[in-house]
Structure formats: C-alpha cells, structure tokens
C-alpha cells in the first residue's frame, strides 16, 4: 500500500525556521516525483514544487521559488519542505503527494497534511 | 501561468440527483486535466486524470469529459459521501495549477 506520512503540526513565531517531512512507503520513493501543495485556511490548493529523490532534481512553481526549499533523503525515503524565516502568511496546511504521469502530471497519493501556524 | 476557473463556486444538490461541475482553462490544455475530491479535514483524493480516466477505486458514478479549455465532472447520482469540495488541475504547462474549487452541498 502506498503511504505518505507527514510530520506533525507546528506552531512557530515569525522569523523562525522550520523543516517538515514526508516519509514514503509501499512504492519506489527514489524512483518517484514527490510534490508539495499548500492550502491556506479556507482556500484552495496551490502546487508549490516537486522533487525527484533519486537525484534531488527539484522544480519550483514561480510563486514559491526562493520562498521555500524542497529537499529529500532517498536513503530514508523522506522528502522535506523548509523555511528559513517564517512569515504569518505561511500559515497553512501543507500536503505532500506522489506525482504520477510521464511528465510529472497528477497527484495520486497524498499525505495526511501538516498544519503550520505562524503567530507572534 | 494557466488559470483554471471552476463554476459554480457552490452547487446545492439533493441526494440521488445528478451534479455537473465545470472547469475552464485560460488556454488549451488538451486532455491534461485531473479532478480531486476533498472532504473536510481530509487530504484531497484523486478522482480523474487524463480528463476522463477514473483513478483506482473510484466509483463509476464519477465521470469526466472535455478537452481543450472546457471540462466537466459529472456525478450521476449523488451519495451522502460525495458532498465535498472538488478541484480541477491542469498538467499541460508548468507551473501546474488548480482551480479554486466547487463545493457540492446538500440541498
């Protein structure tokens, strides 16, 4: 069974750093693309970027380039999303998901989400 | 960036009735379109990809159609578990983009 298990909820202050994780099992993690998706409170889904853990090839959506860093450790089948200096506007639910399709197309399996709250 | 526009924002439907959700792309995306369902407090779930192919385990009452710029998700006979928010997503261009969602609520 394909599973993506994300780290837990976080409460941080503006300016702090944060790294959240997404551990995959039941499939070839290093041979799959993994995406990160943001959902701000009461809003829709936003595709942030993707990573291929096999070689750490990473692609960012323009809105998120320079704002976050996506990384992975294929030895432990885990992808990461990190911030160096959080802002209140980073408050959101963050999902990881497995990407399917020949050209990194749709998202067929999702993690349970990690709620990040940034507040002073 | 391709903008995906979904309509209506909210659809009120009685159980057993048919629901028709629309998704429009700002430029042609061919058939590179997926649909997701999200229930409150849950992660999204893939329903449809390639505009019309149901994902594994998705009931036949869900069907997708369309190509180019106009797409439709049809739920033939709404069940109680189908009341949720539905999103379309294009994968013809980078960045991949989602529509803003259609909420299907009980009438």
């Amino acid at each position: 069974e394909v599973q993506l298990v994300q780290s837990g909820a976080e409460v941080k202050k503006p300016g702090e750093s944060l790294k959240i994780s997404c551990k995959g099992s039941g499939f070839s993690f290093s041979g799959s693309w993994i995406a990160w998706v943001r959902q701000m409170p009461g809003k829709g889904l936003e595709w942030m970027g993707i990573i291929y853990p096999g070689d750490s090839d990473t692609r960012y959506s323009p809105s998120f380039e320079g704002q976050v860093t996506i990384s992975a450790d294929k030895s432990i089948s885990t992808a990461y999303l990190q911030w160096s200096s959080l802002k209140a506007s980073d408050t959101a639910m963050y999902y990881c998901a497995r990407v399917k399709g020949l050209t990194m197309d749709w998202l067929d399996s999702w993690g349970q989400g990690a709620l990040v709250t940034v507040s002073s | 960036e391709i903008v995906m526009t979904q309509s209506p924002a909210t659809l009120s439907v009685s159980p057993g009735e048919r629901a028709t959700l629309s998704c429009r792309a700002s430029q042609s995306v061919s058939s590179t379109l997926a649909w997701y369902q999200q229930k409150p407090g849950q992660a999204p779930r893939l329903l449809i990809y390639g505009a019309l192919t149901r994902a594994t385990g998705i009931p036949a009452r869900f069907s997708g159609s369309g190509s180019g710029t106009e797409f439709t998700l049809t739920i033939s006979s709404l069940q109680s578990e189908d009341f949720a928010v539905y999103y379309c997503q294009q994968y013809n261009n980078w960045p991949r983009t989602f529509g803003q969602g259609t909420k299907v609520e009980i009438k």
Side-chain angles (χ1 to χ4, degrees):
Chain A
E1 179 195 5
V2 174
Q3 279 198 314
L4 292 164
V5 179
Q6 298 185 232
S7 48
E10 300 274 2
V11 179
K12 300 294 246 184
K13 289 181 166 45
E16 292 185 333
S17 62
L18 176 65
K19 191 174 189 177
I20 62 175
S21 66
C22 168
K23 184 173 177 60
S25 62
F27 66 102
S28 173
F29 189 82
S30 60
S32 301
W33 286 87
I34 301 296
W36 286 96
V37 175
R38 182 175 78 175
Q39 187 167 39
M40 299 178 77
K43 302 298 184 183
L45 305 171
E46 300 172 270
W47 186 299
M48 302 176 70
I50 57 174
I51 188 165
Y52 189 77
D55 61 6
S56 292
D57 186 7
T58 308
R59 320 279 175 90
Y60 293 93
S61 293
S63 298
F64 294 94
E65 181 92 54
Q67 307 305 307
V68 296
T69 301
I70 295 171
S71 61
D73 184 341
K74 65 182 179 181
S75 69
I76 55 171
S77 299
T78 301
Y80 302 97
L81 178 65
Q82 70 179 89
W83 296 260
S84 59
S85 181
L86 286 159
K87 303 185 282 287
S89 57
D90 293 317
T91 295
M93 182 72 81
Y94 293 89
Y95 294 101
C96 64
R98 185 176 70 168
V99 187
K100 293 295 286 185
L102 293 177
T103 53
M104 303 91 78
D105 301 328
W106 63 87
L107 306 175
D108 77 327
S109 297
W110 294 66
Q112 82 275 21
L115 180 62
V116 174
T117 303
V118 184
S119 175
S120 55
Chain B
E1 175 174 314
I2 295 179
V3 177
M4 307 301 291
T5 303
Q6 293 185 239
S7 61
T10 303
L11 186 61
S12 298
V13 185
S14 298
E17 288 188 341
R18 181 187 194 93
T20 303
L21 290 66
S22 296
C23 174
R24 174 177 291 177
S26 60
Q27 65 188 76
S28 177
V29 298
S30 186
S31 295
T32 59
L33 188 101
W35 289 95
Y36 303 87
Q37 176 194 65
Q38 187 178 32
K39 298 178 183 179
Q42 295 186 18
R45 176 175 71 145
L46 175 69
L47 296 177
I48 301 278
Y49 60 93
L52 53 80
T53 303
R54 279 189 302 277
T56 304
I58 301 303
R61 64 180 180 273
F62 291 91
S63 62
S65 63
S67 66
T69 62
E70 302 283 345
F71 300 88
T72 300
L73 175 69
T74 302
I75 311 171
S76 59
S77 176
L78 269 159
Q79 307 298 302
S80 58
E81 63 266 31
D82 300 335
F83 292 96
V85 180
Y86 293 84
Y87 295 95
C88 60
Q89 176 237 317
Q90 66 81 22
Y91 50 92
N92 191 70
N93 282 28
W94 190 264
R96 309 311 194 210
T97 47
F98 293 93
Q100 82 282 13
T102 290
K103 181 180 181 180
V104 177
E105 65 175 24
I106 300 174
K107 187 173 182 180

